[in-house]
Amino acid sequence: MTAYFLGQPGVYTVLASTLGLLVGSFLNVIILRLPPRLLHVWRQQSREVLELPDAAEAPPPGIVWEPSHCPHCKHRLGVWENIPLVSWLALRGRCRHCQGRISVQYPLVELLTALGSAAIVWKFGLSGQSAAGLLLTWTLIALAGIDLRTQLLPDQLTLPLLWLGLLLSLFPLFVSARESILGAAIGYLSLWSVYWLFKLATGKEGMGYGDFKLLAALGAWMGPTALLPIVLLSSLIGALVGGVVLALRGHDRSTPIPFGPFLAAAGWAWFLGSDALLVLYRHLIGGI
């Protein structure tokens, strides 16, 4: 009976989506707590370099051990208040104690992680590729969420993703070691070159170093041939979505928009459906 159920794609896809809901809840913790902890560490390091006395400030909540709480009244959430997606819907997006609004980010990240996890397992089945693809998916969601909130792509996530892609190429799981190394190098240097050309021409910074590292990581996972489609797709999505967001918020075009979420979305889409995207591209080109 167990073998029968595990042999049905729908069964382990549902299991993957359930796991995705649980992981998505943890990704919300990473998105919200990692940047303040990094800022706290950077301040401490700056004081050491400048030989300033330590400031009497408590460190931000930990990522793993600190319990979840309401961001407004700091009420510690009970088990039934912390069920992924369900609790937010049952409480109608408000804290049970202070009635403060709970950000829609929580259910969106959980739902996105569930859907992304299900899609990966549906494509790759029960395999090492699925396990690796889940790690890629979860990391990209965390990076996109952090960048949207803080315009930061922390090395603590981009560099492990890069190294994991390189290590997986030794098997190889997705691309060969040669393709992985070339993808990482070309991915980094391409955006690095664009950054410096833009800065020399305008005196402004068009993107951050985290974008270089993220594209390098995607190149390590998918090889150099994926880089141009990812950059083109992310630029197209960024132009469309960014233009709409700026218009709705009444901002001008000089307002900075994080590029990381678009890179992450385009990279994941290419990782999951490069064949379908190529067919669509050829169809569009053929119809012009």
Side-chain angles (χ1 to χ4, degrees):
M1 183 66 73
T2 301
Y4 170 79
F5 279 110
L6 291 179
Q8 305 303 310
V11 173
Y12 49 76
T13 300
V14 171
L15 293 176
S17 63
T18 303
L19 175 63
L21 284 175
L22 298 174
V23 173
S25 181
F26 180 64
L27 293 183
N28 271 315
V29 175
I30 294 176
I31 292 169
L32 294 171
R33 296 187 184 182
L34 181 57
R37 290 193 66 82
L38 291 177
L39 183 59
H40 177 74
V41 172
W42 295 336
R43 285 173 176 168
Q44 287 182 320
Q45 293 173 344
S46 299
R47 293 189 186 99
E48 291 177 3
V49 172
L50 298 173
E51 298 182 349
L52 298 175
D54 292 337
E57 59 179 18
I63 294 176
V64 177
W65 303 114
E66 299 286 341
S68 298
H69 57 269
C70 171
H72 306 291
C73 67
K74 308 304 178 184
H75 158 70
R76 180 173 176 175
L77 301 182
V79 175
W80 77 273
E81 295 174 291
N82 208 23
I83 302 173
L85 192 58
V86 174
S87 294
W88 191 90
L89 293 173
L91 295 171
R92 299 182 180 179
R94 291 185 178 275
C95 173
R96 183 168 63 92
H97 283 253
C98 69
Q99 294 302 306
R101 287 190 177 276
I102 305 300
S103 174
V104 72
Q105 171 193 310
Y106 293 93
L108 286 180
V109 169
E110 292 163 355
L111 181 60
L112 183 62
T113 309
L115 294 176
S117 301
I120 290 292
V121 174
W122 179 266
K123 177 178 176 64
F124 295 109
L126 294 178
S127 64
Q129 288 181 313
S130 274
L134 289 174
L135 289 176
L136 173 65
T137 301
W138 300 340
T139 306
L140 290 178
I141 291 174
L143 283 167
I146 291 173
D147 202 19
L148 279 173
R149 292 179 60 90
T150 65
Q151 296 189 20
L152 172 70
L153 291 170
D155 289 349
Q156 286 77 1
L157 295 178
T158 55
L159 295 185
L161 191 65
L162 168 61
W163 283 109
L164 181 57
L166 292 171
L167 289 173
L168 291 175
S169 71
L170 298 177
F171 293 96
L173 204 57
F174 299 109
V175 294
S176 67
R178 181 178 183 274
E179 291 174 308
S180 182
I181 293 171
L182 284 174
I186 295 172
Y188 186 91
L189 292 175
S190 59
L191 288 189
W192 179 86
S193 301
V194 171
Y195 167 87
W196 280 107
L197 288 173
F198 184 82
K199 187 171 184 179
L200 290 173
T202 66
K204 301 177 182 179
E205 296 185 356
M207 64 182 68
Y209 277 68
D211 296 316
F212 316 162
K213 299 168 189 175
L214 177 54
L215 187 59
L218 295 174
W221 279 74
M222 290 171 262
T225 57
L227 294 174
L228 182 58
I230 288 174
V231 171
L232 291 177
L233 185 59
S234 60
S235 299
L236 176 62
I237 297 173
L240 294 175
V241 175
V244 171
V245 171
L246 291 178
L248 291 176
R249 294 182 177 180
H251 296 162
D252 57 42
R253 294 184 178 180
S254 63
T255 303
I257 297 177
F259 189 50
F262 306 120
L263 268 181
W268 187 83
W270 190 258
F271 177 77
L272 190 69
S274 58
D275 294 338
L277 290 173
L278 279 175
V279 171
L280 177 61
Y281 172 75
R282 290 168 182 164
H283 176 74
L284 293 175
I285 293 298
I288 294 177

